[in-house]
Amino acid sequence: MPVANASLSLLSPTSSLLISGLIAGSYVASLYVARSSRLSFVKSSHQYHGERARRATERWRDDDDVIRARLKAALLSTCASCGVVYACVALGYDGSDRWIRALKTSFRLLGLDSRSHGYKSIFPNLLIPLLYSGPLTAQFLSSTLPFQSCWSYKENLRPIFTTWIGLRNFIVAPITEEVVFRACLLAVADLSGTSLYHKLFITPLWFGVAHLHHAYELYNKFGCTRSALKRAIMTCLVQMVYTTLFGAYASFLLLRSGSITPAITAHMTANVMGLPHPGWELRQHPKHNKLIFVAYFIGIVGFISASGPWTA
C-alpha cells in the first residue's frame, strides 16, 4: 500500500515508544492538571439502574467551566506535541537553516502540507458519509436530515457552534485528538523507521487506551458500587475497542492521503452520527426495511471498495 510519508529513521524504537507515551499521556494528563478542569463527585454507595442525577456541589465533564478549562488544556497539549515532533525532526538536520528545513519536514509528517491535489482531495472526506448510508437513509425517512421538515437550524446546527458541549464534541476534540493521536504519533513512528503494520495497528492503541480514564467518571456516576465498577470497566473496554479500530482507519486515511484533514472530517462525522442503531431504525420504519437494508449494504460494500481508490 503506497503511503505519503517516508520513514526518516532518526529515532530508536525505544525513544519512539517513550516519546509516543509522553505525547499520548500528556494529552490525557492535561485534562486534570488545572483544578478547574478536574471532576469532583459526592461519594455514594446507592445502587442506580442508570446514570444518577448530578448534585449541586459536583463537577462533571459536561459542566461548562470544566469543558472550557479542558479545551484550553487540550489545545496547549496539542501545540506542545507538535513542538516535540518539530524538535525531533530538527535533530536530524545540520546547518544554519536546519530549523526551517525541519519545519517543512514536520508539516509534511504531520499531514499539514498545504499542497492541493485538486478535486481528488475531496474523496477521502466522503468515505465515512458513504459508510453511514444506512443511518442517513433512516434519517431521510424520518425527515431529520438538514433542511427537511423535522430538522431545525436552531436545535440541530447552532448548538454545535454555540454550546461548550458542541464545540468540544464536534470541533475541538476531533481536531486536537487527530493531530495528537494520529499526526504526532505517526510522525514519531515515521522518525523511528517503524513498519507499516505498526503504524496501522499498534500506534492506534494509544488512542484506545487514552479513553480508559473515563472509567473513573462512570464509576462515580453509576453509584460507586461493585456493580458500578463493572459497568464502568465494561463500558470503557468497549469504547477502547471501537476507538482503536477508528484510530486504525484514521491512520490509514493520513498515511494514504498525506493529509490530516480526512481523519479530522471522519472524526467529526462519526461524532455527529454516533454509533448506528439498525434495529431501532428498522422498527421505526417497518414499511421501508428493505430500503434500509440495501442502504446499509451499499454503504458497507461501497466503503470497503472505495477506501483504496478514493485515498490514492
Side-chain angles (χ1 to χ4, degrees):
M1 180 182 68
V3 296
N5 293 336
S7 297
L8 300 179
S9 300
L10 299 179
L11 298 174
S12 68
T14 301
S15 298
S16 175
L17 177 64
L18 292 175
I19 293 173
S20 295
L22 172 65
I23 289 174
S26 63
Y27 185 91
V28 177
S30 71
L31 305 180
Y32 295 92
V33 171
R35 179 175 296 180
S36 57
S37 65
R38 297 175 199 159
L39 309 182
S40 64
F41 301 94
V42 175
K43 295 297 181 181
S44 171
S45 58
H46 182 72
Q47 182 69 47
Y48 295 91
H49 295 292
E51 184 178 299
R52 63 178 176 82
R54 177 186 178 279
R55 299 180 183 178
T57 57
E58 294 182 315
R59 294 171 56 81
W60 287 18
R61 70 185 294 266
D62 287 341
D63 293 351
D64 284 352
D65 58 335
V66 173
I67 296 176
R68 282 196 299 270
R70 288 190 163 190
L71 292 187
K72 292 177 183 177
L75 289 169
L76 289 173
S77 176
T78 301
C79 292
S81 295
C82 291
V84 169
V85 171
Y86 176 52
C88 291
V89 172
L91 293 175
Y93 286 102
D94 295 317
S96 58
D97 63 342
R98 61 183 297 191
W99 298 106
I100 296 177
R101 287 190 291 160
L103 186 63
K104 293 179 180 179
T105 301
S106 298
F107 269 70
R108 177 177 60 81
L109 289 173
L110 293 171
L112 300 175
D113 195 325
S114 60
R115 288 179 296 177
S116 174
H117 299 286
Y119 71 92
K120 291 183 179 180
S121 62
I122 299 174
F123 291 134
N125 300 282
L126 302 178
L127 284 168
I128 286 294
L130 175 61
L131 180 62
Y132 274 101
S133 294
L136 288 172
T137 300
Q139 289 187 17
F140 172 78
L141 295 172
S142 299
S143 299
T144 56
L145 287 178
F147 308 110
Q148 287 190 290
S149 58
C150 295
W151 182 86
S152 166
Y153 164 79
K154 182 178 181 180
E155 295 180 5
N156 300 106
L157 183 60
R158 193 170 70 177
I160 293 177
F161 304 98
T162 60
T163 66
W164 287 108
I165 292 178
L167 287 171
R168 178 195 63 192
N169 292 350
F170 308 120
I171 306 296
V172 178
I175 293 174
T176 58
E177 289 178 2
E178 291 308 313
V179 170
V180 169
F181 291 96
R182 231 67 61 205
C184 290
L185 292 186
L186 285 175
V188 171
D190 260 332
L191 293 174
S192 67
T194 191
S195 67
L196 180 60
Y197 173 86
H198 187 283
K199 295 173 187 175
L200 285 176
F201 300 109
I202 304 301
T203 300
L205 286 170
W206 290 110
F207 187 52
V209 171
H211 286 79
L212 293 179
H213 73 101
H214 292 304
Y216 168 70
E217 175 193 13
L218 295 174
Y219 171 66
N220 282 277
K221 284 185 174 182
F222 291 148
C224 297
T225 62
R226 180 174 295 181
S227 175
L229 179 61
K230 291 180 180 178
R231 290 181 64 184
I233 292 175
M234 288 304 299
T235 300
C236 286
L237 287 177
V238 171
Q239 188 179 31
M240 184 184 76
V241 170
Y242 72 72
T243 51
T244 299
L245 292 174
F246 176 83
Y249 170 69
S251 298
F252 167 83
L253 286 177
L254 174 54
L255 291 170
R256 286 281 290 180
S257 68
S259 171
I260 191 61
T261 303
I264 292 174
T265 56
H267 198 147
M268 289 178 173
T269 304
N271 282 8
V272 169
M273 296 296 296
L275 292 176
H277 299 284
W280 181 85
E281 292 162 357
L282 293 172
R283 290 193 297 271
Q284 288 292 109
H285 306 285
K287 296 182 179 180
H288 299 92
N289 281 0
K290 290 184 179 179
L291 176 61
I292 294 175
F293 271 120
V294 170
Y296 266 93
F297 178 79
I298 291 175
I300 294 171
V301 173
F303 172 80
I304 295 173
S305 302
S307 289
W310 286 13
T311 57

